[in-house]
């Protein structure tokens, strides 16, 4: 069976301070488009929502637009921008760099399933 959906019509949208996630759920694939506004930072925007000190979601994807800086719990830091393909382990902070909106496509599934949900919802 071939299954096709468009990012223009996501199955669900989750809004949070400074951004939102649009998720598509297909058989064997949960895909997310994350949009983050200038000034957004995970530790300021989502820590109160999910109740953890750092983002505990594994991310695998590609940056479509804008730039983001990432810092792991161990202190390793890197920056990603348009065209960069990334794998980010659980236990990190992230923030938008500059004055351009950051957009990422995440294909690992965990972002589409649990990102930006409160700890009471199983995130």
């Amino acid at each position: 069976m071939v299954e096709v959906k468009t990012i223009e019509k996501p199955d669900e949208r989750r809004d949070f301070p400074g951004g939102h996630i649009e998720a598509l759920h297909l058989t064997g694939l949960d895909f997310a488009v994350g949009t983050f506004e200038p000034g957004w930072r995970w530790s300021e925007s989502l820590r109160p929502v999910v109740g953890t000190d750092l983002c505990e979601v594994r991310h695998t994807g590609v940056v479509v637009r804008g730039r983001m800086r990432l810092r792991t719990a161990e202190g390793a830091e890197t920056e990603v921008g348009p065209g960069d393909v990334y794998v980010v382990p659980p236990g990190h902070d992230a923030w938008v760099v500059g004055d351009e909106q950051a957009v990422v496509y995440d294909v690992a599934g965990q972002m589409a399933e649990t990102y930006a949900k409160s700890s009471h919802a199983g995130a």
Side-chain angles (χ1 to χ4, degrees):
M1 174 178 90
V2 175
E3 193 173 356
V4 178
K5 293 186 178 183
T6 175
I7 60 175
E8 301 302 320
K9 295 179 182 177
D11 294 318
E12 80 178 286
R13 177 180 165 128
R14 291 191 293 274
D15 292 294
F16 48 84
H20 63 273
I21 296 296
E22 295 173 314
L24 290 91
H25 306 290
L26 294 88
T27 305
L29 173 66
D30 289 292
F31 179 86
V33 178
T35 303
F36 307 91
E37 299 300 328
W40 176 88
R41 186 174 186 133
W42 188 94
S43 56
E44 296 168 3
S45 173
L46 288 171
R47 180 186 306 175
V49 174
V50 301
T52 59
D53 287 335
L54 296 170
C55 178
E56 297 300 335
V57 171
R58 175 185 169 89
H59 300 282
T60 304
V62 62
V63 179
V64 178
R65 180 174 57 229
R67 302 196 68 75
M68 295 187 85
R69 191 100 182 136
L70 306 160
R71 181 183 301 135
T72 67
E74 295 79 24
E77 209 169 296
T78 193
E79 192 169 304
V80 294
D84 289 340
V85 177
Y86 57 82
V87 175
V88 182
H92 61 272
D93 193 8
W95 58 94
V96 173
V97 175
D99 58 1
E100 183 180 4
Q101 185 182 65
V103 177
V104 300
Y105 289 172
D106 194 286
V107 298
Q110 195 176 10
M111 187 170 183
E113 295 169 352
T114 63
Y115 194 78
K117 289 186 176 179
S118 74
S119 58
H120 304 295

